Amino acid sequence: MAHNSEEEKKEDYLFKIVLIGDSAVGKSNLLARFARDEFYPNSKSTIGVEFQTQKININGKEVKAQIWDTAGQERFRAVTSAYYRGAVGALLVYDISRRLTFENIGRWLNELQTHSDMNVVIILVGNKSDLKDAREVTTAEGKALAEAKGLFFIETSALDSSNVTSAFQTVVREIYNILSRKVI
Ligand code: GDP
Ligand code: MG
């Protein structure tokens, strides 16, 4: 990329971010909430959006994130390598009310690291924090796993909007910071 000024350089950023994790953890709804402020109580996997480009403000600069959704591929454990290709960030999502989805995080992390060609900034996301009575994974457990694997960590609710913007922003901000350090 050729740039005339520092100014242009920073506004040209387009980051590919992927959503991964077991079926029904809320990936599509996190994206729907973040990009369109919508929620689907009975969503099937059929929302069908391949990716959504969203502008994010980082330190007063506009950065574009191209956020990819699996559109149900993960159900058949058939997330293709094309899905991961070129990704610089990932939201690795589990459902705090379904322990199995947390136990599968290691598998998703392996898959991501196998397929990605660069160092991906990853945030571990414990979604459905609104389901307090049904919680099967504690916040401390999520935090501990993230620390052990060197990931960011956050709990979100696509239903009540809690921390959704923050989850995406954390990843984008970190990628932006890494790149900014490199070009200076
Ligand atoms: P995906 O398969 O990972 O894309 O998951 P979906 O976004 O399709 O969500 C699966 C189901 O969980 C749907 O019925 C959603 O309405 C529900 N869901 C998603 N996020 C939340 C959340 O934060 N809280 C609650 N209570 N339900 C959620
Ligand atoms: Mg989905």
Side-chain angles (χ1 to χ4, degrees):
M1 270 189 285
H3 297 286
N4 298 325
S5 66
E6 186 75 6
E7 201 61 18
E8 254 182 64
K9 194 160 34 191
K10 291 194 171 160
E11 285 171 1
D12 274 346
Y13 285 150
L14 177 68
F15 301 148
K16 177 175 175 179
I17 313 281
V18 290
L19 281 155
I20 49 176
D22 281 4
S23 194
V25 295
K27 300 180 297 300
S28 298
N29 272 282
L30 284 167
L31 181 53
R33 176 61 80 194
F34 178 60
R36 307 187 293 279
D37 201 16
E38 290 171 358
F39 182 78
Y40 305 92
N42 303 306
S43 68
K44 308 238 162 29
S45 74
T46 44
I47 299 167
V49 184
E50 216 182 4
F51 65 81
Q52 187 99 41
T53 304
Q54 191 69 14
K55 289 174 185 165
I56 299 178
N57 195 295
I58 306 289
N59 308 337
K61 291 281 176 197
E62 205 170 77
V63 174
K64 285 191 195 130
Q66 187 184 67
I67 304 155
W68 287 68
D69 185 13
T70 55
Q73 290 178 85
E74 77 282 14
R75 267 208 229 162
F76 315 104
R77 303 211 162 175
V79 178
T80 61
S81 53
Y83 184 73
Y84 294 105
R85 194 169 304 132
V88 289
L91 280 81
L92 188 45
V93 188
Y94 64 94
D95 172 350
I96 64 122
S97 73
R98 278 194 298 142
R99 183 149 199 105
L100 183 60
T101 66
F102 179 68
E103 284 165 4
N104 282 335
I105 285 295
R107 191 176 65 79
W108 285 111
L109 193 56
N110 279 342
E111 179 156 325
L112 174 64
Q113 285 166 344
T114 304
H115 285 92
S116 56
D117 35 23
M118 50 191 103
N119 264 334
V120 182
V121 174
I122 305 167
I123 187 165
L124 179 65
V125 179
N127 189 42
K128 309 199 187 181
S129 61
D130 57 284
L131 296 178
K132 294 185 176 64
D133 296 339
R135 183 186 278 274
E136 291 184 358
V137 184
T138 67
T139 305
E141 285 176 298
K143 216 178 264 179
L145 178 63
E147 267 170 32
K149 303 284 187 187
L151 319 173
F152 288 93
F153 175 69
I154 201 163
E155 285 189 347
T156 57
S157 168
L159 175 66
D160 70 17
S161 299
S162 150
N163 281 341
V164 175
T165 302
S166 187
F168 287 95
Q169 262 176 350
T170 299
V171 170
V172 172
R173 186 183 303 113
E174 178 67 7
I175 297 164
Y176 179 85
N177 287 342
I178 291 170
L179 285 174
S180 305
R181 281 198 292 276
K182 277 191 185 149
V183 294
I184 286 166

